[in-house]
Amino acid sequence: MSKTQNMNYFVWDVYFKGEGFAYCEKMNGINDTNIVSLLTGKKLENPLPDITAESFSRGSIGDIFGWAAGLVASEKIKKHLEGENVQFIPVKILSSDLKYYLANFLSAVECIDKKKSTIEYYNSNPDYIEKIRKLVLLSEIDESLQAFRILERPDVVLVCEKMKNQLQRISKSAGVFTPTEKFKIGYF
């Protein structure tokens, strides 16, 4: 495992209502157990659920769109993520023949510098972070990982700058990329 000290990382997120792109408001064919697996990066076993995206907020459906349990990627984005330890679960969109996939990022890395970050843990589960006011990553992260989850906050996906640039190069609707030093969650 090769480590690096000089890579920049970004939190990769979806577009939310009001940003000009659609957000999936209703997804059918997936149960609560599978939703928890998607939120925590656990692999869904075969047979994969038959998922249909049925209702969207106003806006266009980009190459990435959001849903409560994660990021949904177009075929174009999927091709760029292949080889990154991501499970792709097909999603049918009622209003389109285009192919989309729930992207289940299976790599989770303990990468937060807890001494330099400002974080709060859930009272009910002290292994998981509830709030991040200041996110500082450890100086050495396996450079072979270009897209992965934060182990202690598995609903947060990080991508390296190289991956971010590739995704933005192939798509004008590849999602929102926030530099880790500007990322906050749970503080409004």
Side-chain angles (χ1 to χ4, degrees):
M1 170 170 40
S2 166
K3 304 242 182 193
T4 183
Q5 295 185 8
N6 298 318
M7 288 183 77
N8 291 321
Y9 290 90
F10 295 80
V11 174
W12 188 16
D13 213 340
V14 299
Y15 300 104
F16 293 97
K17 293 177 186 177
E19 294 182 325
F21 291 94
Y23 185 88
C24 183
E25 295 176 334
K26 184 177 181 186
M27 191 88 73
N28 284 328
I30 189 161
N31 63 35
D32 290 345
T33 301
N34 286 340
I35 289 171
V36 170
S37 293
L38 287 168
L39 287 170
T40 57
K42 293 181 179 54
K43 189 171 185 175
L44 273 63
E45 299 301 323
N46 287 325
L48 294 174
D50 187 18
I51 304 171
T52 303
E54 292 192 354
S55 175
F56 288 88
S57 64
R58 288 182 187 250
S60 13
I61 298 175
D63 283 314
I64 291 292
F65 67 81
W67 172 59
L71 187 142
V72 183
S74 69
E75 184 76 25
K76 184 186 329 184
I77 299 292
K78 176 186 180 275
K79 286 179 182 174
H80 255 72
L81 291 174
E82 287 175 343
E84 292 301 323
N85 202 19
V86 179
Q87 179 185 30
F88 297 100
I89 299 103
V91 174
K92 180 180 179 187
I93 299 179
L94 288 181
S95 60
S96 172
D97 290 332
L98 297 175
K99 292 183 179 182
Y100 280 83
Y101 305 85
L102 268 168
N104 186 11
F105 295 84
L106 302 174
S107 295
V109 177
E110 191 171 351
C111 59
I112 295 178
D113 186 326
K114 293 176 181 86
K115 291 180 182 171
K116 295 179 182 175
S117 297
T118 306
I119 55 179
E120 291 179 34
Y121 290 86
Y122 284 100
N123 289 331
S124 61
N125 190 346
D127 293 332
Y128 290 99
I129 295 170
E130 178 181 15
K131 298 177 181 179
I132 300 172
R133 183 182 301 270
K134 178 182 175 188
L135 178 59
V136 179
L137 300 181
L138 294 170
S139 60
E140 294 186 8
I141 296 173
D142 181 351
E143 68 181 21
S144 69
L145 294 172
Q146 294 191 51
F148 56 91
R149 294 176 185 272
I150 294 177
L151 181 65
E152 307 91 334
R153 182 69 199 225
D155 60 329
V156 176
V157 174
L158 298 178
V159 295
C160 70
E161 188 168 22
K162 178 181 174 185
M163 175 65 76
K164 173 192 84 80
N165 291 342
Q166 289 172 352
L167 293 169
Q168 289 178 324
R169 194 171 22 261
I170 64 160
S171 173
K172 297 207 181 302
S173 60
V176 178
F177 298 91
T178 304
T180 54
E181 64 273 8
K182 293 185 178 182
F183 178 72
K184 292 178 182 8
I185 193 166
Y187 291 97
F188 302 102

